[in-house]
Amino acid sequence: MDTSASPLPPPSMPRFSVDCPSRPILDQVADKWSMMVLAVLERPTRFNEIKRQLEGVTQRVLTQTLRRLERNGLIRRRVLETSPVGVEYSLTPLGESFREPFTRLYEWTVAHSDEVLSAQREYDARSSGRQGAA
């Protein structure tokens, strides 16, 4: 992989133009809870275990964060056939690639914006029958 060419514009130009595809992705996945969830998901993990590892997160905020990460294609949600029914979360291959050092975040969002947008469309298409599930 050639790392000599930078995707960043020259210093005299805006780094983040209005139509830059990284802007909405950064907004959706680079918040503190998303970054912490991605760090916690070293292996498939149940909802309550994630919550225990993230001191201060509310159930509502964690649920919203997990849904957003799933919509963006970074994590996978799996319903466990247990009694009571459990839910387990794990990183997708796309999510694993996101665990690169934070200094490479911008390059990652530019490189994967099409995949994220595709994941959003797929999620929206299938989510209508799953309203209210954690």
Side-chain angles (χ1 to χ4, degrees):
M1 181 170 116
D2 179 15
T3 58
S4 61
S6 173
L8 302 177
S12 62
M13 296 180 65
R15 182 168 283 192
F16 294 100
S17 65
V18 171
D19 60 346
C20 180
S22 70
R23 280 183 156 192
I25 298 167
L26 287 169
D27 184 49
Q28 293 171 14
V29 300
D31 65 89
K32 71 177 181 180
W33 294 120
S34 293
M35 297 304 293
M36 290 181 202
V37 165
L38 293 172
V40 165
L41 289 177
E42 295 174 348
R43 58 178 173 71
T45 308
R46 290 181 140 201
F47 180 90
N48 285 330
E49 185 178 343
I50 296 169
K51 188 172 183 316
R52 280 192 295 274
Q53 293 186 51
L54 300 177
E55 186 174 334
V57 70
T58 64
Q59 182 162 337
R60 179 178 172 268
V61 168
L62 181 56
T63 298
Q64 290 172 339
T65 299
L66 291 166
R67 285 182 179 162
R68 188 170 51 249
L69 290 170
E70 182 184 8
R71 180 173 182 258
N72 287 322
L74 299 175
I75 66 171
R76 159 183 317 115
R77 177 185 184 271
R78 185 170 73 107
V79 176
L80 305 172
E81 300 299 326
T82 58
S83 181
V85 173
V87 177
E88 179 179 82
Y89 296 90
S90 60
L91 292 176
T92 63
L94 186 61
E96 287 288 347
S97 73
F98 191 72
R99 293 182 64 155
E100 296 176 31
F102 191 75
T103 56
R104 299 195 64 197
L105 178 59
Y106 175 72
E107 288 89 357
W108 185 94
T109 58
V110 170
H112 295 288
S113 62
D114 289 341
E115 290 174 73
V116 172
L117 294 173
S118 175
Q120 290 172 349
R121 286 189 295 273
E122 291 173 17
Y123 177 92
D124 291 345
R126 70 174 189 271
S127 68
S128 61
R130 198 173 76 190
Q131 298 293 335

